[in-house]
Amino acid sequence: MKNLFVKIAAVGLLMLAPAIAQAAEGYSTANVNMRAGPSTRYPAVAVIPAGSSVEIRGCLSDVNWCDVEFYGGRGWVSGQYVQALYQQRRVYVGPQYYRPLGIPMIRFSVDNYWDRYYRNRDFYRDRDRWSRGPDYYYRDRDNRDRDRDRDNRDRDRNWRERDGDRDGRDRDRDWRDDNQRDDRQRGERQRDDRRGDDRRPDRRDFDCRPGDPSCDE
């Protein structure tokens, strides 16, 4: 019976060993952004002050980025800003120290990681584009910005063309109105002149006086 309990305890320790090795204590060496993924192009989720303690949950094997926990939040920090205590001295977290420090090598997936930690974040709604990588996201965003700028330029050009056409029509209408007004004024002056001629008395009737010899002409 005693041997059975020893075996059970040994199995329990073996089962607990991976869990114990899931985190290592580290320290930030500067005010550093904790990001939503292993790249400076992912959104920042918090700022870790210099000298703060973090729990290192795992690191990537191909690039020096680590998944850390800070005050209950999770995110990614470059290993060049995180140190850990190794053989009584602090060392920057790198692949050569992963195994001695008990840091597991892990993989990153936007879908799984963001579903677990970032559902309440604004950038979560763009996770489908982010899942293809930050380079794709920014390239896609730049393309959308260029398309939007081109659409705006097209709209501005169309507005200018419409304004130009309207101004041209207004000028033509004003020119026609001016010509018609001038024609009306000339016609009115001509009619006034004709009426004036009809009203003008004969000079002889005006100049003649009774007994004036010119009246006999």
Side-chain angles (χ1 to χ4, degrees), residues 16-192:
L16 288 174
I20 295 173
Q22 290 301 308
E25 187 175 9
Y27 306 89
S28 62
T29 60
N31 295 333
V32 61
N33 285 320
M34 184 168 69
R35 296 188 174 273
S39 169
T40 56
R41 308 197 74 182
Y42 282 103
V45 296
V47 175
I48 303 176
S52 298
S53 176
V54 296
E55 292 292 322
I56 305 171
R57 296 295 179 178
C59 298
L60 300 179
S61 59
D62 51 346
V63 290
N64 191 17
W65 279 80
C66 297
D67 175 20
V68 303
E69 181 176 353
F70 176 68
Y71 276 95
R74 290 287 287 271
W76 291 80
V77 177
S78 172
Q80 62 182 336
Y81 296 108
V82 179
Q83 289 182 333
L85 190 63
Y86 175 69
Q87 295 182 351
Q88 306 303 316
R89 61 188 179 93
R90 288 189 179 184
V91 296
Y92 283 97
V93 175
Q96 67 274 29
Y97 296 112
Y98 291 170
R99 184 180 295 274
L101 292 172
I103 299 173
M105 286 186 289
I106 59 176
R107 295 182 179 181
F108 171 71
S109 168
V110 166
D111 293 334
N112 294 334
Y113 199 87
W114 286 24
D115 283 345
R116 199 177 309 160
Y117 302 116
Y118 300 137
R119 283 184 174 272
N120 62 335
R121 298 282 185 157
D122 291 338
F123 54 79
Y124 180 78
R125 62 175 176 267
D126 294 326
R127 66 189 180 283
D128 291 338
R129 285 198 296 270
W130 281 106
S131 64
R132 303 183 186 183
D135 292 336
Y136 176 87
Y137 172 81
Y138 280 101
R139 183 169 60 249
D140 184 47
R141 190 186 67 176
D142 292 342
N143 290 335
R144 294 197 305 272
D145 291 343
R146 282 195 295 270
D147 292 341
R148 184 168 56 250
D149 293 340
R150 184 166 56 249
D151 291 341
N152 290 336
R153 287 195 299 271
D154 292 341
R155 282 195 297 270
D156 291 341
R157 184 171 60 251
N158 293 335
W159 288 338
R160 288 194 299 270
E161 290 174 353
R162 286 197 295 269
D163 291 342
D165 293 341
R166 184 167 55 249
D167 292 341
R169 289 193 298 270
D170 291 342
R171 283 194 297 271
D172 291 341
R173 185 171 57 251
D174 293 342
W175 180 82
R176 288 193 300 270
D177 292 343
D178 291 342
N179 286 340
Q180 292 172 357
R181 185 169 54 253
D182 292 342
D183 291 341
R184 286 195 301 272
Q185 291 174 352
R186 282 195 297 271
E188 291 173 355
R189 284 196 298 270
Q190 291 173 357
R191 286 193 297 274
D192 290 342

